[in-house]
Amino acid sequence: MTDRDRFFELLAKKKLNNCTLSDIAEINRLAKEYDIDLDNLSQLDHIFNLQFVAAERPSVTSAENSWLKFKEKLKEDKQIYIPADTDDKKPKYRIMRYYMAASVAVIFVLLGIYVFVFQNHDADKLNIISTQYGSKSKVEMPDGTQIWLNAGSKITYDNQYGKKTRSISLEGEAFFDVHHDPKHPFIIHTKNLTLKVLGTAFNVRDFKEENNSIATLIRGSLEVSFPSKPEQKIILKPKEKLVISNKNATRKVTADKEHIEMALSHVNDVATIDHMIEEIAWTENKLIFRSKTFEELVLDLERWYNIKIEIQDEAIKSKKFTGAFKNETFFEALDALKETYAFDYKFNKATNTVTIKTQL
Amino acid sequence: MSDNHLDNIDFNAGSHQDEEELFKTIYLEFYPSLIVFAKGFLKEIATAEDIVEDVLLKLWHNRSAIYAIKNLKLYLFVATKNACLNHLAKNKRMDYESLEDLEVAILKVSHSPEEAFISNEQLHKIQEEINKLPTKCRAIFMLIKEEGLKYSEVAELLNLSVKTIEAQMSIALKRLSEAIQHDFPSFVVKKQNKSS
């Protein structure tokens, strides 16, 4: 066994609280000989602390389905139960089980038909698809439209979807590749925007904690209007991006004086990093940011990595950052940001919070 | 991990409906774990489901005595193991008490905060290493890491000594560390110098 193998074996033993005094002495000796900082092995701790799960472990839903079947069985149980030690009667018990299974299956089929028929009349039933912080999701709608949902976002649609129009609500950020169907306009409602399309690909971003709402068109055409001012309409052309400032939205304004602060710009090729358009890079698992203030970037990082971030350094909030992350862990990302503007941070594992401080 | 909050449950107070609600908690808590475990022996999901349901049905029949079971989780794992081995013995597919053929499901990293500290590449390597472990070692690793069983409980369940369990866990953790060894470059460099 090489020294290196021995070293890692000893660390494993130590992790299991299985070390003898001479083992610990040996770890210290090896660490000294090879100049390893024993305090700096937290990575290894993280790996030992990882949780694993069997790939084929039944989900909560399938456990619940199994329970429903089991519960049915309990109802009939008094009539069919024959103690297991009477082996000769077992076949009968088995046959009964098949009848049971068959009748349960029939019940489920009937239930399925009932739900199907019932739901068709139930126009108000809402379907909700949402993502937690730290995770993204891709959905294919019944009409073939594809939706990529970024972290911390939610789409909602009712059962009228696809009948006359294809209408959905969005909170957060999503990229849409809408199946072309002129007879059924695709309409997206966000807090600050209404978007109407026929068949196109575009990105919408409207997080309630952010100051701007942004629509970016990749191909096709897109009609944007505003819930607060429905008569105003803007048509976007491919590679155009519309940014709406919502800073006034919280202020009380009278309907006639209200105006919407907006900026129309081009997604030009200069703005692409790694041959990818910044606004939709997240669909490929890349977090790209161009001269974003640290305060804005932190909101992205919180959603992206599912970690709470507290800024205690006022000066850094307005500093602007440009960069791209793909496979970096959260701490690799933080360390990279530190290269641009020095700061210190502290991680509290219990509250899953990182505190950003002025570097001393 | 569920820390024995389901021990010392008493079914003797309450209506039939209360009993069913209480049993539902037990059922949902243990069903997925027992299915994964049973599938290791039987390889067929349908048979595994049958056997786990039978085990739980027997528990239902004896519910008035559940309060006397000291460690319900271990009890259910042992009952499932016995039911599986009985089934296999009847079908002449395996010698009773042989654990060498125990096939353990592929493990993947579940969503845990630790993920944020480890790159995707490393996660992938770790997952690969775990799934390359010998089956017995992986079975022990799964029962301890995923199911949260104690060393002594796994020893009892698999008819092995606690020492063996410790040794197997140490092998598993060593493999995990090996997966990321290159992240300690100073160690690698110096070692090469030394051996040359």
Side-chain angles (χ1 to χ4, degrees):
Chain A
M1 190 187 289
T2 65
D3 280 353
R4 186 159 77 160
D5 286 347
R6 177 70 181 150
F7 180 69
F8 284 104
E9 185 185 64
L10 287 168
L11 284 183
K13 255 179 121 178
K14 188 167 173 228
K15 186 69 199 169
L16 296 169
N17 292 328
N18 248 338
C19 266
T20 62
L21 276 177
S22 70
D23 286 338
I24 289 174
E26 199 179 343
I27 289 176
N28 291 336
R29 184 182 64 76
L30 284 168
K32 204 171 169 195
E33 187 176 337
Y34 290 99
D35 199 19
I36 299 162
D37 182 5
L38 281 177
D39 295 328
N40 197 17
L41 292 174
S42 60
Q43 188 85 353
L44 211 55
D45 276 335
H46 292 311
I47 285 172
F48 287 158
N49 290 340
L50 276 175
Q51 304 263 309
F52 289 88
V53 64
E56 293 168 39
R57 188 181 174 85
S59 65
V60 176
T61 326
S62 65
E64 270 168 0
N65 286 339
S66 166
W67 162 253
L68 290 179
K69 279 192 253 173
F70 188 83
K71 204 170 136 186
E72 285 302 311
K73 204 186 280 179
L74 293 187
K75 284 195 184 124
E76 309 280 324
D77 187 41
K78 279 163 204 131
Q79 292 129 53
I80 67 153
Y81 182 69
I82 294 155
D85 55 351
T86 53
D87 258 353
D88 49 339
K89 286 182 187 167
K90 201 103 185 183
K92 197 174 161 196
Y93 173 42
R94 284 277 161 191
I95 288 164
M96 287 300 281
R97 281 179 55 124
Y98 289 129
Y99 281 123
M100 281 288 306
S103 55
V104 167
V106 168
I107 289 168
F108 270 82
V109 168
L110 289 176
L111 194 70
I113 292 168
Y114 173 75
V115 167
F116 180 73
V117 171
F118 184 69
Q119 276 200 346
N120 272 355
H121 293 288
D122 186 8
D124 294 335
K125 188 165 182 299
L126 288 177
N127 300 298
I128 299 171
I129 300 160
S130 63
T131 48
Q132 302 290 314
Y133 277 26
S135 73
K136 302 178 205 66
S137 165
K138 189 186 164 190
V139 196
E140 181 157 346
M141 303 295 281
D143 62 321
T145 293
Q146 297 186 341
I147 305 176
W148 285 256
L149 205 55
N150 206 347
S153 304
K154 180 166 114 179
I155 56 173
T156 315
Y157 61 96
D158 64 22
N159 284 3
Q160 293 298 305
Y161 180 90
K163 296 240 169 81
K164 277 183 192 143
T165 64
R166 296 172 282 171
S167 179
I168 73 163
S169 300
L170 166 73
E171 286 169 38
E173 180 167 27
F175 177 76
F176 295 86
D177 194 341
V178 176
H179 182 77
H180 188 76
D181 181 1
K183 283 181 190 154
H184 302 101
F186 194 92
I187 302 167
I188 299 160
H189 303 276
T190 73
K191 187 165 164 276
N192 298 296
L193 304 170
T194 305
L195 304 106
K196 194 169 153 192
V197 298
L198 300 175
T200 133
F202 59 95
N203 194 71
V204 188
R205 181 180 175 110
D206 193 349
F207 283 107
K208 60 178 182 296
E209 62 271 29
E210 289 184 356
N211 287 331
N212 293 330
S213 307
I214 306 169
T216 311
L217 181 63
I218 304 303
R219 59 160 205 272
S221 79
L222 182 63
E223 181 190 295
V224 185
S225 59
F226 312 94
S228 58
K229 213 177 178 190
E231 70 285 356
Q232 185 168 6
K233 279 181 183 152
I234 292 168
I235 310 277
L236 287 189
K237 293 194 219 53
K239 297 263 175 92
E240 274 182 349
K241 164 179 165 181
L242 185 69
V243 180
I244 311 294
S245 167
N246 306 319
K247 276 181 191 151
N248 300 327
T250 47
R251 223 181 286 159
K252 214 180 172 187
V253 272
T254 51
D256 56 317
K257 274 193 176 175
E258 184 178 358
H259 82 286
I260 294 163
E261 213 177 285
M262 63 178 91
L264 191 63
S265 64
H266 265 273
V267 183
N268 54 33
D269 292 336
V270 186
T272 61
I273 298 174
D274 286 355
H275 306 292
M276 196 178 280
I277 296 168
E278 176 191 340
E279 282 76 12
I280 59 165
W282 64 268
T283 61
E284 308 260 319
N285 247 336
K286 274 194 189 176
L287 177 63
I288 296 185
F289 43 97
R290 280 184 71 79
S291 64
K292 262 201 177 177
T293 66
F294 193 70
E295 203 173 10
E296 290 167 340
L297 179 59
V298 154
L299 294 172
D300 273 333
L301 292 173
E302 286 187 325
R303 281 191 291 265
W304 197 264
Y305 290 108
N306 188 20
I307 277 180
K308 281 194 228 86
I309 302 172
E310 243 173 58
I311 313 174
Q312 287 184 351
D313 176 1
E314 283 302 318
I316 197 178
K317 282 189 179 173
S318 55
K319 291 279 179 282
K320 291 194 171 171
F321 289 82
T322 297
F325 294 130
K326 180 147 193 193
N327 287 325
E328 282 82 357
T329 68
F330 177 66
F331 292 102
E332 284 166 6
L334 268 193
D335 288 336
L337 293 174
K338 266 171 72 176
E339 298 292 315
T340 311
Y341 182 88
F343 58 83
D344 274 337
Y345 62 83
K346 206 177 78 195
F347 178 60
N348 181 336
K349 201 173 164 185
T351 57
N352 195 32
T353 306
V354 162
T355 314
I356 308 281
K357 290 177 179 165
T358 320
Q359 193 166 55
L360 298 173
Chain B
M1 291 298 138
S2 57
D3 266 316
N4 299 335
H5 65 281
L6 284 174
D7 284 348
N8 301 319
I9 286 179
D10 195 350
F11 271 86
N12 293 318
S15 66
H16 185 80
Q17 218 173 0
D18 292 340
E19 284 188 337
E20 251 184 34
E21 274 306 302
L22 197 50
F23 199 78
K24 181 184 176 183
T25 321
I26 295 176
Y27 194 96
L28 295 182
E29 171 81 18
F30 295 116
Y31 178 83
S33 303
L34 295 177
I35 288 285
V36 171
F37 186 57
K39 226 161 64 174
F41 291 99
L42 302 166
K43 281 132 194 129
E44 294 158 23
I45 177 74
T47 326
E49 282 171 359
D50 268 4
I51 284 188
V52 169
E53 276 168 31
D54 274 353
V55 165
L56 289 163
L57 191 63
K58 272 179 201 149
L59 185 72
W60 169 256
H61 291 136
N62 294 321
R63 62 190 176 279
S64 60
I66 282 186
Y67 70 92
I69 299 172
K70 259 194 251 149
N71 184 339
L72 185 57
K73 189 183 209 167
L74 182 60
Y75 173 89
L76 284 171
F77 269 96
V78 171
T80 304
K81 180 194 80 171
N82 291 339
C84 288
L85 293 179
N86 276 335
H87 175 89
L88 290 174
K90 260 185 207 159
N91 291 286
K92 304 264 184 294
R93 290 230 306 262
M94 196 166 123
D95 291 337
Y96 190 75
E97 293 292 292
S98 152
L99 281 170
E100 297 308 314
D101 287 347
L102 183 60
E103 221 172 68
V104 178
I106 297 298
L107 295 179
K108 56 180 195 205
V109 175
S110 80
H111 200 76
S112 54
E114 309 292 343
E115 264 181 87
F117 302 90
I118 297 161
S119 72
N120 286 341
E121 205 182 317
Q122 286 179 340
L123 276 184
H124 188 75
K125 259 193 247 163
I126 288 162
Q127 213 157 285
E128 240 174 27
E129 274 308 314
I130 284 298
N131 289 316
K132 274 196 291 196
L133 289 173
T135 41
K136 191 164 94 181
C137 184
R138 185 141 51 98
I140 291 167
F141 185 82
M142 183 192 81
L143 289 168
I144 286 169
K145 292 288 279 188
E146 188 187 353
E147 305 300 351
L149 291 178
K150 297 191 189 91
Y151 286 17
S152 55
E153 291 172 339
V154 177
E156 191 182 332
L157 177 61
L158 301 181
N159 295 330
L160 297 167
S161 72
V162 175
K163 272 244 157 2
T164 311
I165 307 291
E166 281 174 3
Q168 294 290 328
M169 274 307 276
S170 160
I171 291 174
L173 288 187
K174 185 168 161 258
R175 288 283 190 90
L176 283 189
S177 348
E178 275 168 1
I180 57 142
Q181 269 194 28
H182 74 278
D183 293 324
F184 300 95
S186 66
F187 200 60
V188 178
V189 172
K190 279 217 172 181
K191 190 195 145 218
Q192 281 167 349
N193 287 344
K194 206 185 168 195
S195 58
S196 60

